[in-house]
Amino acid sequence: MPIQPVIMKEKVVILDFGSQYTQLIARRLRELNVFCEIFPYNKDLSELGHVDAFILSGSPFSVLDENALHLDLSAILGKYPILGVCYGAQMTAQQLGGRVLKSEKREYGKAKMNILDHDCALFKNMSDGSQIWMSHGDTIAALPVHFELIANTDGIPVAAFKSKEDAYEKPIYCIQFHPEVTHSLEGMQLLSNFVFDIAGLKGEWTPASFVEEKVTELKETLGNDKVLLGLSGGVDSSVAASLIHKAIGTNLYCVFIDNGLLRKDEFHSVLESYKHMGLNVIGVDASDDFLSELEGVSDPETKRKAIGRVFIEVFEREAHKITDVNWLAQGTIYPDVIESVSVHGPSVTIKSHHNVGGLPDKLRLKIVEPLRMLFKDEVRRVGKELGLDKNLIGRHPFPGPGLAIRVLGAISKEKVRLCQEADAIYINKLRQWNLYDEVWQAGAILLPVQSVGVMGDERTYEFTIALRCVNSVDGMTAEWSKLPHEFLAEVSSEIINNVKGINRVVYDISTKPPATIEWE
């Protein structure tokens, strides 16, 4: 489904040239309560609706490459405030008559910025010598006419430049570093200066304003129509359900399917929590349907596709029991939307998303996705604004395919049970130690590895559990959590002593990137 621009009172558009940090720019602007959207650099600009300012992202590519990504700046030049970041700055320099050269060595890592124009609005309340983060292979050797240098570093002559006062109706600022990463210590101040002082925005994008506008929009769009929503027990679908329920009440019908791959006892506990929310929820135990389809399947992508196929079959079966439904609601959030659009067209599949794409066609329903413009942490804040239970809002993210991708290799009912038991001990211990709310996501992974162990006088040959625990904001990047050694020792002992079939526990200390949070 193509990305539809959202009509907002204020909006910054980020044109994406493929940088790994593009989503991070959007995250930082949202933290400033400024609404923004990301589009591919070659998006038809006439489809964007109202725009207050543009940011041109970085890129892994070089402007000197034969097939360099190209945006005709004349379409926006002088009409909007523009901030070019790294590749965006180099492309601006080259296109407007400056000179860009290959650097003798890749400029990567921390640097100190020397501010040359202390009256520059972009550097308001920033320190001379402020730490910034470089990541580029090209350097700007000469500025275009009508531009002036505003900052350098000890290593590069051009760290930042801007259009001269009378050159364009709206100013252009270009920087050769990444203000969006935490290594740029005053990067948030720079972005704040751009959106508030230069672009003149007010920062009115708040959870309360989102709820008010979204409920009004849903009422107008849905009217008296019936809406069907597949609940997962997670934050996204729960907040989506609450928003739609606030708009249309009992015309929302929710289906919660037990695929046999949920956490231990989760099906019944989640159903109970939904009753307290006043939602009309149908619980369906389809665990046998899923587990029989997955028996012996080991390839991660095959698992995902099998789960998606069975989910459609079960959901379709239940959906037909409800008459006159017009809409299918989904808990799609913004990272899913962004990742579905590649700078170069069809992107390489890292892994399939759990949102089941074939369902709308099967059911011939229109789609409503009330959260499609929100990042995960924004979804939580909206849930809080809606008054959802803090235990539901604070639930760790859980993969759509469930334990199917936490039981590595071939799946069986017994392996799923082992993973559930170990996971339940781990999560309960996190709560007991008051660590659950201190981390972003935790789970147990059953490895397809058996090893020798000794229990009493008996030799064992059993499975290994890996514990995964990370800290993150929205899952785009993640650091492994430094859990207390005493805690890990207690969890390990509890699992090995109480889950027959597991005799070894390890802890995953990989960051994302290069690793992913889930193992499959």
Side-chain angles (χ1 to χ4, degrees):
M1 177 180 290
I3 301 175
Q4 296 298 320
V6 172
I7 299 171
M8 297 295 298
K9 296 172 185 173
E10 294 184 339
K11 183 168 72 177
V12 174
V13 165
I14 302 164
L15 294 179
D16 180 23
F17 291 86
S19 169
Q20 62 177 319
Y21 300 129
T22 301
Q23 286 194 35
L24 204 47
I25 299 174
R27 283 293 312 110
R28 297 292 179 248
L29 295 190
R30 297 284 185 89
E31 286 171 25
L32 294 168
N33 293 334
V34 172
F35 181 74
C36 59
E37 288 189 78
I38 298 171
F39 293 98
Y41 74 98
N42 53 1
K43 175 75 175 176
D44 183 346
L45 301 183
S46 66
E47 297 177 7
L48 299 182
H50 173 78
V51 182
D52 289 289
F54 281 92
I55 295 180
L56 313 179
S57 86
S59 176
F61 309 107
S62 167
V63 296
L64 301 173
D65 291 344
E66 187 178 339
N67 297 318
L69 309 184
H70 178 80
L71 166 72
D72 183 1
L73 285 172
S74 64
I76 59 174
L77 206 61
K79 301 171 186 175
Y80 308 89
I82 298 170
L83 177 65
V85 178
C86 282
Y87 185 92
Q90 295 152 7
M91 184 189 68
T92 300
Q94 184 191 55
Q95 195 172 134
L96 299 181
R99 192 164 77 256
V100 179
L101 303 174
K102 283 282 184 190
S103 301
E104 292 183 9
K105 61 178 182 178
R106 181 173 170 79
E107 291 156 345
Y108 182 84
K110 298 173 185 176
K112 297 293 182 185
M113 180 176 65
N114 304 314
I115 296 175
L116 304 178
D117 181 356
H118 292 277
D119 296 323
C120 178
L122 192 66
F123 300 141
K124 176 184 171 184
N125 295 328
M126 291 181 66
S127 316
D128 198 10
S130 182
Q131 179 180 296
I132 55 176
W133 181 261
M134 298 284 192
S135 180
H136 55 91
D138 293 340
T139 193
I140 296 169
L143 296 181
V145 179
H146 308 308
F147 281 78
E148 58 189 358
L149 184 67
I150 55 175
N152 63 20
T153 71
D154 293 341
I156 61 169
V158 180
F161 59 100
K162 73 177 182 72
S163 56
K164 291 179 180 176
E165 203 75 25
D166 302 323
Y168 301 97
E169 186 175 339
K170 301 285 185 178
I172 304 140
Y173 290 83
C174 293
I175 54 178
Q176 277 267 78
F177 56 91
H178 288 274
E180 66 275 20
V181 302
T182 54
H183 300 302
S184 291
L185 299 183
E186 296 180 318
M188 278 293 279
Q189 182 63 52
L190 185 146
L191 291 172
S192 173
N193 292 339
F194 176 71
V195 295
F196 297 134
D197 292 84
I198 294 166
L201 304 187
K202 296 176 183 176
E204 298 172 336
W205 171 255
T206 64
S209 69
F210 173 82
V211 170
E212 182 183 350
E213 290 174 12
K214 184 55 66 175
V215 169
T216 300
E217 178 190 311
L218 288 169
K219 284 179 178 177
E220 292 174 355
T221 303
L222 303 176
N224 294 317
D225 289 355
K226 289 182 182 178
V227 178
L228 189 62
L229 185 148
L231 287 169
S232 69
V235 178
D236 301 338
S237 66
S238 301
V239 174
S242 185
L243 264 175
I244 297 170
H245 182 260
K246 190 175 176 69
I248 65 171
T250 55
N251 274 352
L252 172 66
Y253 294 80
C254 301
V255 177
F256 180 39
I257 296 172
D258 182 2
N259 58 11
L261 302 162
L262 303 174
R263 286 187 154 128
K264 184 179 178 181
D265 299 327
E266 188 170 36
F267 182 57
H268 299 292
S269 64
V270 168
L271 276 178
E272 279 302 310
S273 69
Y274 284 138
K275 283 180 186 175
H276 296 310
M277 290 171 61
L279 295 178
N280 177 20
V281 183
I282 303 161
V284 182
D285 182 356
S287 50
D288 288 341
D289 298 69
F290 286 87
L291 292 174
S292 60
E293 186 76 16
L294 289 167
E295 185 75 31
V297 175
S298 57
D299 177 69
E301 197 62 17
T302 305
K303 289 179 185 178
R304 282 181 160 83
K305 287 176 179 172
I307 290 167
R309 184 171 63 253
V310 177
F311 180 86
I312 288 175
E313 291 169 3
V314 175
F315 196 90
E316 188 178 13
R317 188 171 68 217
E318 295 302 319
H320 286 310
K321 296 176 184 177
I322 306 166
T323 58
D324 302 322
V325 174
N326 303 97
W327 297 84
L328 176 70
Q330 295 188 149
T332 310
I333 62 174
Y334 201 37
D336 299 330
V337 175
I338 299 166
E339 288 166 14
S340 68
V341 179
S342 166
V343 164
H344 290 295
S347 59
V348 175
T349 299
I350 298 173
K351 58 187 180 185
S352 296
H353 280 295
H354 66 269
N355 287 341
V356 185
L359 200 50
D361 294 334
K362 278 271 188 182
L363 297 175
R364 294 180 179 159
L365 298 176
K366 294 177 282 187
I367 292 291
V368 57
E369 297 173 316
L371 307 179
R372 65 182 281 112
M373 298 314 301
L374 299 184
F375 288 96
K376 175 71 77 172
D377 56 317
E378 292 174 317
V379 175
R380 294 188 197 281
R381 294 206 295 273
V382 167
K384 186 177 179 182
E385 182 69 29
L386 288 164
L388 269 64
D389 184 88
K390 66 177 184 179
N391 290 328
L392 187 57
I393 298 172
R395 280 169 63 91
H396 289 178
F398 189 67
L403 297 181
I405 59 169
R406 290 186 180 174
V407 174
L408 305 195
I411 288 182
S412 69
K413 284 187 179 181
E414 176 58 15
K415 287 180 183 177
V416 171
R417 186 193 69 79
L418 289 176
C419 192
Q420 284 176 329
E421 294 294 338
D423 181 80
I425 290 170
Y426 183 29
I427 297 301
N428 287 337
K429 286 292 179 186
L430 282 168
R431 293 191 188 278
Q432 289 171 20
W433 280 61
N434 295 319
L435 292 168
Y436 186 87
D437 294 330
E438 300 300 314
V439 299
W440 195 72
Q441 183 175 346
I445 297 100
L446 185 75
L447 305 186
V449 173
Q450 290 177 281
S451 63
V452 173
V454 178
M455 300 189 77
D457 295 325
E458 183 184 348
R459 179 183 182 276
T460 62
Y461 190 60
E462 296 177 337
F463 286 101
T464 299
I465 276 284
L467 304 179
R468 183 72 158 139
C469 190
V470 297
N471 285 78
S472 180
V473 173
D474 45 35
M476 293 186 294
T477 61
E479 288 286 338
W480 62 275
S481 305
K482 278 69 173 177
L483 298 177
H485 291 181
E486 297 80 7
F487 167 80
L488 291 171
E490 188 173 308
V491 173
S492 174
S493 177
E494 188 93 3
I495 290 173
I496 291 170
N497 288 334
N498 290 280
V499 186
K500 185 171 175 55
I502 295 171
N503 67 357
R504 194 174 297 270
V505 175
V506 299
Y507 188 55
D508 181 351
I509 59 169
S510 312
T511 60
K512 177 187 179 180
T516 53
I517 294 175
E518 300 295 341
W519 282 38
E520 285 192 345

